[in-house]
Every structure is written in structure tokens, then in C-alpha cells.
Amino acid sequence: MSCNTASRSPIIEHYQSEEMAALGLPFSDAVRVDNMLYLSGVIGMKPGKMELVEGGLEAEARQTMENIKKVLEAHGSSLEHAIKFTVFIDDINRWSDFNKVYVEYFPGKKPARSAFGAEGLALGASVEVECIAVIVD
């Protein structure tokens, strides 16, 4: 059995949108490692504003998914190429309310997913979602 011992440095790129930079947020929207894209936690913020959309959990969930879609597409991926989601929800008893929105974005094959009840999400959000996706160059 032989092993390839040639080493190569991975491609690592940090992406911060102008929108997030203008808000002064101290993190990257996403980090690319080779052909993988790791998104920071995303909440239902109105585009370009440090405030949540109005309407509660379902409205926040929809805006969260739209925000994720935007970041994925800006960096060479898409919801179709998302492979793992981690969902943090402030009231795990409202899981089905989140799922009503989530399935709209994944009517066919669905990514792997974990969910956790969480307290104290950013801006008092009802839901926060992390995503891992493949970049399709």
C-alpha cells in the first residue's frame, strides 16, 4: 500500500460581503476550504440592516434561507449543493414551524441536518442556521 506524501496547501479564502462589512460585523460570511464552503450562522436579518424581519419565526426562517441562498450563490455554490445544515431554534417546540419553511427550499433531496434548542440568539432571533456546501467551479 502506498501513500501520497506530497503535501499541498489547501485553498483557504475568507469572504465578507460589503453589506456585512458596512455593518461592522467581526466575522466572515463564509470561508472556502478547497471546494467546500462553510457559512457563518445566518439569521433573518433584513438585507443591509442590523434588524430582524418582522413576522416571527416563519418570517425569520424564510429570510434566513434567502440570506443563505444569497451567500452561497455569491461564492460559487447554491442550495442544490448544500450538504449540511445546523439549525438553532429558540423554542424547539416550534420545530414544525421552521420545517414548513425549510421544505419549500428543498422539495426533493434534502441535505443532512441537525437541530438544537438554543437560548440567546443574536438580535433576539428565533432561529439561526449554519450551512456547509460544495463549490461547483
Side-chain angles (χ1 to χ4, degrees):
M1 178 184 224
S2 67
C3 293
N4 182 356
T5 58
S7 65
R8 125 185 128 69
S9 296
I11 296 169
I12 300 175
E13 296 175 335
H14 296 79
Y15 303 118
Q16 185 180 46
S17 66
E18 289 180 21
E19 196 173 275
M20 290 296 172
L23 294 173
L25 297 174
F27 56 85
S28 298
D29 297 333
V31 175
R32 176 184 182 156
V33 179
D34 291 329
N35 71 329
M36 300 301 297
L37 192 63
Y38 299 86
L39 274 62
S40 293
V42 178
I43 60 175
M45 285 177 28
K46 295 177 183 178
K49 300 189 179 204
M50 284 287 287
E51 61 186 72
L52 297 169
V53 295
E54 297 170 1
L57 187 134
E58 289 184 41
E60 286 182 41
R62 187 165 285 103
Q63 186 63 54
T64 297
M65 295 304 296
E66 289 297 321
N67 292 346
I68 287 171
K69 181 179 174 186
K70 180 178 176 181
V71 173
L72 290 172
E73 291 175 355
H75 303 298
S77 193
S78 67
L79 287 172
E80 181 180 303
H81 293 95
I83 59 171
K84 173 72 167 77
F85 282 83
T86 304
V87 180
F88 304 91
I89 189 167
D90 71 343
D91 181 356
I92 202 68
N93 294 316
R94 303 233 18 233
W95 181 240
S96 62
D97 295 332
F98 176 80
N99 280 335
K100 287 178 197 172
V101 175
Y102 184 81
V103 298
E104 293 173 16
Y105 291 86
F106 301 102
K109 293 181 181 178
K110 293 161 181 54
R113 184 175 73 177
S114 303
F116 300 92
E119 187 176 321
L121 298 173
L123 298 182
S126 298
V127 64
E128 182 171 344
V129 181
E130 296 178 344
C131 175
I132 301 171
V134 176
I135 295 173
V136 288
D137 290 327

